[in-house]
Amino acid sequence: MARGIDTSAHRGALSAHGRTIAVLGSGLDVIYPPENVKLFAEIKENGAVISEFPPGTPPLAANFPSRNRIISGMSYGVLVVEAGEKSGSLITARLAAEQGREVFAVPGSVEIPTSRGTNKLIKEGAKLIENAEDILEEIIPQLGKMKNLKSPASSTNNNRHTERQPDLTAAEKQIFDLIPEKNIHVDDIITATDAPPADVLGTLMSLELKGLIIQHHGKLFSRRK
């Protein structure tokens, strides 16, 4: 229910008398943003509001990338309308591809920063979308197949060690080297790097976007196997 496209998508579904599901990055008793209290109630009556976080959990920035896997996993496909180069929407798009879902993207001007992410997705194979019919053409034939669709995550993981590792900045390499295959808490990473927390969180998100690490509940991180 975040401000912007999330709110618009929910309102669009409700205005068309459809159903919509909100996946929160907070506890179910913490409505965020607060101005969406009415929307929250409407979604409960015409769909569902779900969260993996316990009651009372605040909407921390680190919670949202991890909840994105739920959004992509429960969808037939993911449409990215706008995204900067380090947008959390790119995490959702990558997860969708790994889960065997369709990935769609709306192209934009090369001069607009919020189009760089979507244009990159299209270059990498996402389907270019100009109107609703473009999505329906792809989704409708898949509706009967989705129940038997198996996520290719395991085959992706098997090939991961043979793939070329993305180029890393010095900061990314420093933090990546600190993250084991088992979980490590974000506070331990910050302590080990002695870098500003905001810089560490930004670097962690960058590593997530590159598909090298996974964020787990409780601000824990591990390498993607």
Side-chain angles (χ1 to χ4, degrees):
M1 296 197 308
R3 298 180 182 94
I5 189 64
D6 292 48
T7 294
S8 296
H10 288 306
R11 293 198 183 282
L14 294 171
S15 66
H17 306 291
R19 294 185 178 275
T20 185
I21 300 174
V23 184
L24 305 186
S26 61
L28 285 174
D29 58 337
V30 180
I31 300 176
Y32 177 82
E35 64 264 27
N36 276 347
V37 171
K38 182 179 178 182
L39 178 61
F40 182 95
E42 291 176 359
I43 294 174
K44 281 202 306 180
E45 293 298 320
N46 299 279
V49 180
I50 64 176
S51 175
E52 66 175 329
F53 300 104
T57 301
L60 302 175
N63 294 348
F64 290 90
S66 65
R67 67 96 202 236
N68 289 353
R69 76 189 192 286
I70 300 175
I71 294 175
S72 58
M74 65 192 299
S75 304
Y76 286 113
V78 170
L79 169 65
V80 183
V81 178
E82 287 186 336
E85 290 181 297
K86 294 186 177 182
S87 170
S89 297
L90 300 183
I91 297 176
T92 311
R94 174 177 55 76
L95 291 169
E98 291 182 356
Q99 293 165 334
R101 274 47 178 171
E102 298 286 350
V103 178
F104 308 104
V106 176
S109 170
V110 295
E111 297 180 353
I112 300 177
T114 52
S115 292
R116 290 173 184 166
T118 52
N119 291 343
K120 180 181 179 183
L121 287 175
I122 293 169
K123 287 199 300 184
E124 293 175 348
K127 295 175 176 62
L128 187 153
I129 299 301
E130 294 180 307
N131 51 55
E133 286 72 22
D134 291 338
I135 296 177
L136 294 175
E137 287 177 1
E138 296 291 337
I139 290 294
I140 289 177
Q142 299 296 325
L143 294 181
K145 303 177 182 178
M146 289 300 291
K147 290 183 180 179
N148 299 320
L149 191 60
K150 185 176 180 181
S151 170
S154 58
S155 61
T156 300
N157 291 337
N158 290 336
N159 296 330
R160 187 169 301 279
H161 294 294
T162 62
E163 295 175 354
R164 179 178 177 273
Q165 182 171 302
D167 293 332
L168 301 180
T169 65
E172 289 172 342
K173 187 176 187 311
Q174 179 191 20
I175 290 180
F176 181 71
D177 288 343
L178 291 171
I179 298 176
E181 290 191 359
K182 294 184 178 180
N183 296 343
I184 182 173
H185 195 273
V186 66
D187 289 346
D188 295 327
I189 299 173
I190 293 172
T191 300
T193 60
D194 197 28
D199 291 350
V200 173
L201 291 173
T203 302
L204 287 169
M205 177 169 284
S206 178
L207 290 170
E208 279 193 272
L209 287 170
K210 292 182 177 181
L212 296 177
I213 65 172
I214 304 172
Q215 181 180 184
H216 307 279
H217 179 58
K219 299 182 184 178
L220 296 171
F221 292 85
S222 68
R223 292 193 182 193
R224 182 175 290 276
K225 297 179 181 179

